[in-house]
Structure formats: structure tokens, C-alpha cells
């Protein structure tokens, strides 16, 4: 299976972002990728304004644009977007959704674990999802998680129990002290926990390498990563926008779980 990983820095405007990722998606599809994964918040970057004003259902212009692109290229595309959820007080909350579209799919996974910490509360504006999500690509079961989910190993283990051999993790990971080390460690740990491939595209670091290591909001640190079921890093990006194309053998996940039956 050939997978394309798109690392970009998205903006406040979902029309601009659709145009932005389209170029990268075409690029990796030209190199034979049939499953193409973009970051969390592809439709609208975090810290770029209210999310509810551009949130849309799965028949909106952003998701429809990706659906048409997937059909044109004959690929499956996964990308982060926001959907209307509920209203709490004066706040219109959204779902943080990973759109899956192409090859008969047009569906979404709603992020279960919102980024609620001592200094940031994603659930103020984002309603948590409640259901795990898998889909089939080229006969292989693919699981989906999003960003902060990666800190919760049981979610990944349960996806593996439900048949996932590959888990996609669209992300917008905050920069700061030790954050890159945490990101790399967590991606490799979840691959080892569940015996799966981890494919995790992140937003590129705003400001690029010159801003590396300084604290930021949840707007990306780059370093999109592909990890094998034995914890080996297959490929990793840097801080700047770029794309990766990786070839994997999903059967390796089954062999790893047979050799080390942790589930």
C-alpha cells in the first residue's frame, strides 16, 4: 500500500486551504499514493478565528471539494475539518472531524479526546465524539484517531482489536519544550502498543525552523511521521511544509501481533 502524507500550514480560510492541499494531494497521487492523509484542522487552522463560522456538514464546499478531487484521482483522502455540533451558552461548538472520502467512502470520525489541559480547553469550542471509526482501503482495515487521542493507548488497542492494521492520526501538535520528543515517543509507543502502522500527518510549524522549540498554540510542529508496527520510523518530515510517500505491507501488522500478542 502506498500512502501519501501531506504536511502544510493551513490558514483561516477554508477555500484557500482546499486550494492549498489540492496541490499537495495531486503531487503525492502522481507518485502512486492511493491513500492520502492531511493534518487535523486542514479546513481551518486553530487560533485563526471562530471555528463555527466555517464549520460545515459533509455535503459542504470543503468536504465536497475533496470528495470530487478523490473521485478524479481515484484515491482516498483523509483530512481534518469542523462540523456543527451544539450550542452551550453563547458558544456554538463544533466537532473536530477527520473526513474520509473516496473509493466509496464519504464519512467522518469525530475526535474523542479533546485537548483539555491546565492551559487550554478544546472542549469549550469542540464537542467530543463518542465512537471509534474504521474503514476499508484496498482490503485492509484502517483506523482513525486525531491528535490528542494519541495519548490514550486503549483507543489504539481497541481499533487494532476491531481489525485495524493501520491507524491514521491527523494532527496539529503544539510546539514547546520537549513537545517534539513527546510526539515522536507517543507515535512509536502507539505502534508498539497496538501492533499497527501509525501514519500521522501534522501541520507544519508556523514560521518554520526559525521558530522551532518555542511555545505555540496547537498550530503544528511539523515532523509528520510514519511508524511500523515494531516501532521503527519509516519516514519523518521536518518543520517546513512538505510531502512524504511511503510504502507499507499491512501484513506486517498481523505478523507483529502474532509474534507479540499484547491485545
Amino acid at each position: 500500500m502506498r500512502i501519501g502524507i501531506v504536511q502544510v500550514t493551513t490558514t483561516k480560510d477554508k477555500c484557500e486551504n482546499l486550494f492549498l492541499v489540492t496541490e499537495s494531494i495531486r503531487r503525492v497521487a502522481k507518485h502512486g499514493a492511493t491513500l492520502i492523509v492531511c493534518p487535523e484542522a486542514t479546513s481551518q487552522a486553530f487560533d485563526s478565528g471562530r471555528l463555527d463560522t466555517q464549520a460545515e456538514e459533509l455535503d459542504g464546499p470543503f468536504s465536497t471539494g475533496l470528495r470530487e478531487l478523490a473521485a478524479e484521482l481515484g484515491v482516498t483522502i483523509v483530512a481534518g475539518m469542523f462540523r456543527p455540533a451544539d450550542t452551550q451558552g453563547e458558544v456554538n461548538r463544533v466537532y473536530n472531524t477527520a473526513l474520509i472520502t473516496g473509493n466509496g467512502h464519504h464519512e467522518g470520525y469525530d475526535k474523542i479526546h479533546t485537548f483539555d489541559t491546565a492551559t487550554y480547553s478544546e472542549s469549550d469550542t469542540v464537542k467530543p465524539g463518542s465512537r471509534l471509526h474504521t474503514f476499508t482501503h484496498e482490503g485492509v482495515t484502517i483506523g482513525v484517531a486525531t491528535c490528542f487521542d494519541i495519548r490514550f493507548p486503549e483507543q489504539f488497542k481497541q481499533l487494532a482489536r476491531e481489525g485495524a492494521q493501520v491507524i491514521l492520526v491527523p494532527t496539529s501538535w503544539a510546539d514547546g519544550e520537549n513537545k517534539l520528543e513527546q510526539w515522536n515517543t507517543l507515535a512509536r509507543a502507539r505502534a508498539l502498543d497496538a501492533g499497527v502502522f501509525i501514519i500521522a500527518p501534522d501541520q507544519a510549524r508556523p514560521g518554520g525552523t526559525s521558530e522551532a522549540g518555542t511555545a505555540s498554540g496547537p498550530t503544528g510542529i511539523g515532523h509528520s511521521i510514519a511508524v511500523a508496527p515494531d516501532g521503527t520510523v519509516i519516514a519523518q518530515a521536518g518543520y517546513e511544509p512538505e510531502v512524504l510517500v511511503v510504502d507499507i505491507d499491512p501484513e506486517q501488522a498481523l505478523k507483529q501481533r502474532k509474534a507479540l500478542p499484547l491485545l
Side-chain angles (χ1 to χ4, degrees), residues 10-12 17 41-46 48-51 53-54 82:
T10 54
T11 71
K12 64 182 180 180
N17 293 329
T42 296
S43 67
Q44 180 184 347
F46 286 116
S48 68
R50 287 173 50 173
L51 300 175
T53 59
Q54 294 187 88
F82 301 101

Side-chain angles (χ1 to χ4, degrees), residues 109-114 144-153 155-156 169 190:
Y109 159 72
D110 298 327
K111 181 180 178 182
I112 292 173
H113 298 99
T114 50
V144 187
T146 300
C147 198
F148 198 56
D149 286 334
I150 206 168
R151 291 190 179 271
F152 297 85
Q155 179 172 349
F156 288 73
V169 194
R190 295 299 81 83

Side-chain angles (χ1 to χ4, degrees), residues 152-185:
F152 297 85
E154 286 304 318
Q155 179 172 349
F156 288 73
K157 292 168 75 173
Q158 186 57 37
L159 285 167
R161 291 186 189 105
E162 294 183 10
Q165 294 165 255
V166 181
I167 299 179
L168 312 177
V169 194
T171 298
S172 185
W173 194 262
D175 199 355
E177 184 179 359
N178 201 37
K179 291 290 287 184
L180 180 55
E181 290 80 3
Q182 292 177 28
W183 168 244
N184 286 332
T185 299

Side-chain angles (χ1 to χ4, degrees), residues 2 5 31 77 86 93 115 121 124-126 133 143 151 214:
R2 181 162 288 184
I5 300 172
H31 285 86
I77 298 170
D86 63 11
R93 294 200 302 177
F115 183 53
S121 180
D124 288 346
T125 55
V126 176
H133 194 95
R151 291 190 179 271
T214 58

Side-chain angles (χ1 to χ4, degrees), residues 63-78:
S63 50
T64 298
L66 288 183
R67 183 178 196 168
E68 292 172 350
L69 180 62
E72 175 194 339
L73 299 175
V75 301
T76 299
I77 298 170
V78 178

Side-chain angles (χ1 to χ4, degrees), residues 209-222:
T209 305
S210 64
E211 299 291 332
T214 58
S216 70
T219 50
I221 195 173

